[in-house]
Amino acid sequence: MHVGNDGNGSQDFELNLAPIIDCFTVLITYLLVSASFISLGILDVGVSAVKDGGDGPVSAEVPMNVVLQMEAHGKMQIKATGGAPAVNISVTVPANGEKGNWNMMSAELRKLKERLPQLKEISVYAASDVQYQELVKAIEKIKGEIPKVYLANGDL
Amino acid sequence: MAFLDKGIMRKKRRLGEDMSLQITSMADIFMILLVFLLKNYAVSITDYSPTEQTRLPVGEGKASLKDVVKLEISPEAIMVDQKVVVKLGTPQSGSSDANNFAPYEALSKELTASRKLLPKESTDANLLVLADEKVPYSTLRRVLGSAAVAGFVDLQLAVIQSE
């Protein structure tokens, strides 16, 4: 650091940039290594368990239950049962090649929602060999029509 | 030929003078880089990056990320907060049997222990799931069972944002 006096009482000051560049280099290297450039999105789902109702009082009204069954090779089935008045709807969504036909599935869910305005949640069942990316795709499309999605944890 | 040599020497001297490093410009560039990286740097208790083996599916998730227990399902193992709990593909895990839907005991124990460390154990039921895109539903179903046993009933499925 060089400090000079020009004779008027003020001081010339020369900033030594080399140590500052050293600090910056280390900081930037650390931040580059620790930075995460992946942009993560989140899908909120619930876990639904299928279990016995116990010995409590039995209500005459069967609650509405809407289920999306994902089968192997992209085929899907949408089933709606129960509710008041009771419904029993079953729609098959054929596969699009080996993958799910998402546009048709969304259209069918939309029609179902128009018919059942009280529909707010849906359970998703999948076959054992359905891959996670297909499940995520299905959940993403369902959320466009029905806000609450549950992943089933039992057998149908 | 002497005048040619003089010309070359003058050029070399000029080149030597012009080649001094412009540290001021470099400091400007470093300052801008540093500001950008500091803005991106997030300090959080949980590291949300998946491991190298895990390839997240692409999707459009719009929910907000919460600071919760992290569960990662890679093709080789299931990890809770970076700690390997279940090794997949081994006879002990029973993952080769597609009809085996029993929860993973080790995973249930680990998740129960993680839940006790949460600030609001009784109400906080969120679990962040980072699963590889090729994981079959049979594995995921067992993981869901294990999570439900430990009291985690709200899952946050992590996806890579599609552009």
Side-chain angles (χ1 to χ4, degrees), chain B residues 41-56:
Chain B
Y41 187 71
V43 179
S44 166
I45 297 167
T46 312
D47 172 22
Y48 300 120
S49 308
T51 53
E52 274 175 20
Q53 309 99 299
T54 306
R55 196 186 156 97
L56 296 178

Side-chain angles (χ1 to χ4, degrees), chain A residues 5-154:
Chain A
N5 198 325
D6 64 0
N8 290 339
S10 59
Q11 286 184 336
D12 288 334
F13 182 84
E14 274 180 30
L15 187 61
N16 192 354
L17 283 175
I20 294 174
I21 295 291
D22 287 339
C23 289
F24 278 15
T25 307
V26 172
L27 266 174
I28 284 169
T29 309
Y30 167 73
L31 288 173
L32 273 172
V33 167
S34 64
S36 172
F37 295 103
I38 300 172
S39 176
L40 281 186
I42 297 292
L43 291 168
D44 272 330
V45 297
V47 176
S48 72
V50 177
K51 51 186 172 182
D52 295 331
D55 294 328
V58 176
S59 165
E61 189 185 315
V62 177
M64 164 108 36
N65 184 28
V66 179
V67 162
L68 173 78
Q69 258 179 277
M70 295 179 68
E71 294 167 25
H73 308 299
K75 189 178 162 195
M76 290 181 277
Q77 284 221 330
I78 303 171
K79 293 181 180 174
T81 52
V87 296
N88 191 354
I89 303 167
S90 180
V91 176
T92 301
V93 180
N96 181 10
E98 286 284 308
K99 302 215 178 266
N101 192 337
W102 309 119
N103 291 335
M104 189 172 169
M105 186 198 80
S106 297
E108 291 298 337
L109 284 174
R110 213 173 299 130
K111 279 187 220 167
L112 194 65
K113 210 172 167 200
E114 280 164 19
R115 196 171 155 181
L116 307 167
Q118 69 272 36
L119 176 58
K120 288 204 175 17
E121 53 189 47
I122 184 169
S123 295
V124 176
Y125 288 78
S128 296
D129 51 358
V130 169
Q131 286 188 348
Y132 181 61
Q133 62 183 354
E134 293 294 302
L135 182 70
V136 160
K137 198 78 187 169
I139 293 171
E140 191 187 301
K141 293 293 175 186
I142 292 169
K143 279 199 166 271
E145 308 298 333
I146 301 168
K148 191 66 190 163
V149 178
Y150 290 95
L151 289 179
N153 182 27

Side-chain angles (χ1 to χ4, degrees), chain B residues 83-101:
Chain B
K83 179 181 157 191
V84 174
V85 177
V86 176
K87 279 195 180 156
L88 296 172
T90 58
Q92 286 83 7
S93 68
S95 50
S96 55
D97 183 4
N99 295 323
N100 181 4
F101 297 129

Side-chain angles (χ1 to χ4, degrees), chain B residues 52-104:
Chain B
E52 274 175 20
Q53 309 99 299
T54 306
R55 196 186 156 97
L56 296 178
V58 174
E60 282 176 22
K62 292 175 184 144
S64 56
L65 191 58
K66 294 175 193 162
D67 222 355
V68 294
V69 177
K70 185 180 103 169
L71 174 72
E72 187 174 335
I73 311 172
S74 72
E76 284 118 26
I78 299 174
M79 290 166 270
V80 175
D81 287 333
Q82 313 280 26
K83 179 181 157 191
V84 174
V85 177
V86 176
K87 279 195 180 156
L88 296 172
T90 58
Q92 286 83 7
S93 68
S95 50
S96 55
D97 183 4
N99 295 323
N100 181 4
F101 297 129
Y104 295 107

